[in-house]
Amino acid sequence: MIDQGTLPRAAEFARVARRRRRQPVEAEREILRAATEMIGSDTGTPMTVAALMSRTGLGRSAFYAYFRDLPDLLRRLLHEIEGELAATSAGWFDGTGDPVEDCLRSTRVLVGVHRRHGLVLSAIADAAAADPDLAARYRQTAVDGFADAVTERISRERARGRVAAEQEPQSARALMAMTDAYLRETLGRHPRADPVDVVRTLTLVWTQALYGRPPADGYDPPAHAGTAGTGGPGTTRPSDEPVPPPAGPPGAGGAGAPRPIPGRRNS
């Protein structure tokens, strides 16, 4: 006869066995996915190691088998986004067409990256204030790499007579720093702005500052009420496909972590 009192123990043993059989790469991805979901939630709840790991099938201590601390987790997440951001700056560097239209195309790609990862990038930028290494890496990824590509493009346009010879050398860097802050404000916290309006605003700022003219299709200020991206009654546009959940997020306030990460939210 089966002792019914042994069943809970057997179930627990099976659960532990499943944990042990999990491949390291699978466990690491599970932690990253849980972190992504947690930072993308609109709860405002601070993230801790315990809270993060409760979203996985792993024990709390498993976090430290893959990440030293919160900045280490954030560096890993930033690494996964770097390739997409680099492709955006490559569009500027490699572009050979009308610079204003190339600017519009690059802006659309950049905003697309922030639609997917803006909440994570904002969390990384916040945590970087307490971690010089993370700050330097974020700055290189989100600002300096773009600024260098744009500066090179402007130099080519100046040689062709398309931009003013007296263009301030630091213009690209100043514009990129502004762009990074604006993207974190609009797409890096809840409620998130309509990406179409973000593209329109940034394109106007960049093209007017560098070339003195907007794109050929004339990016007029939005006249609609509300936005599809924030749940208002805005008109759906062709580029307003559903915003996918943000990918790649934060980790927890374990040893060495500067502080728990709050949910990304406007005050």
Side-chain angles (χ1 to χ4, degrees), residues 177-259:
M178 175 277 299
T179 297
D180 177 61
Y182 179 68
L183 286 169
R184 286 190 280 115
E185 178 64 27
T186 55
L187 298 175
R189 60 195 74 244
H190 294 290
R192 307 181 82 191
D194 184 342
V196 173
D197 292 340
V198 176
V199 170
R200 175 182 291 108
T201 299
L202 289 176
T203 301
L204 281 172
V205 169
W206 276 79
T207 57
Q208 292 285 9
L210 295 177
Y211 306 110
R213 62 185 176 90
D217 58 2
Y219 263 39
D220 296 325
H224 60 284
T227 63
T230 56
T235 302
T236 301
R237 304 177 185 85
S239 58
D240 281 350
E241 65 271 20
V243 178
R259 61 180 181 277

Side-chain angles (χ1 to χ4, degrees), residues 39-253:
I39 199 172
S41 65
D42 189 13
T43 62
T45 304
M47 177 174 286
T48 64
V49 170
L52 170 63
M53 298 308 292
S54 71
R55 290 171 171 255
T56 73
L58 302 165
R60 182 180 184 278
S61 62
F63 175 87
Y64 299 103
Y66 302 98
F67 310 103
R68 294 191 304 274
D69 48 29
L70 174 61
D72 191 38
L73 174 62
L74 295 179
R75 276 189 287 272
R76 170 61 189 277
L77 294 171
L78 181 59
H79 176 72
E80 295 194 350
I81 302 172
E82 283 174 339
E84 292 185 56
L85 289 171
T88 305
S89 63
W92 262 102
F93 187 83
D94 299 332
T96 58
D98 182 330
V100 173
E101 298 303 321
D102 284 349
C103 177
L104 172 57
R105 283 190 291 272
S106 292
T107 301
R108 284 173 173 158
V109 175
L110 177 61
V111 170
V113 173
H114 279 262
R115 289 177 68 185
R116 295 186 295 277
H117 306 295
L119 297 170
V120 176
L121 289 168
S122 186
I124 293 171
D126 289 347
D131 188 298
D133 178 68
L134 183 60
R137 185 164 176 179
Y138 177 83
R139 187 171 56 251
Q140 175 59 37
T141 299
V143 177
D144 293 347
F146 286 99
D148 291 343
V150 176
T151 298
E152 174 64 22
R153 176 67 186 264
I154 291 174
S155 295
R156 297 203 307 267
E157 301 301 337
R158 183 183 296 114
R160 297 168 182 167
R162 290 180 172 178
V163 298
E166 65 274 12
Q167 184 74 245
E168 171 58 45
Q170 290 296 311
S171 294
R173 195 166 303 279
L175 285 167
M176 198 59 233
M178 175 277 299
T179 297
D180 177 61
Y182 179 68
L183 286 169
R184 286 190 280 115
E185 178 64 27
T186 55
L187 298 175
R189 60 195 74 244
H190 294 290
R192 307 181 82 191
D194 184 342
V196 173
D197 292 340
V198 176
V199 170
R200 175 182 291 108
T201 299
L202 289 176
T203 301
L204 281 172
V205 169
W206 276 79
T207 57
Q208 292 285 9
L210 295 177
Y211 306 110
R213 62 185 176 90
D217 58 2
Y219 263 39
D220 296 325
H224 60 284
T227 63
T230 56
T235 302
T236 301
R237 304 177 185 85
S239 58
D240 281 350
E241 65 271 20
V243 178

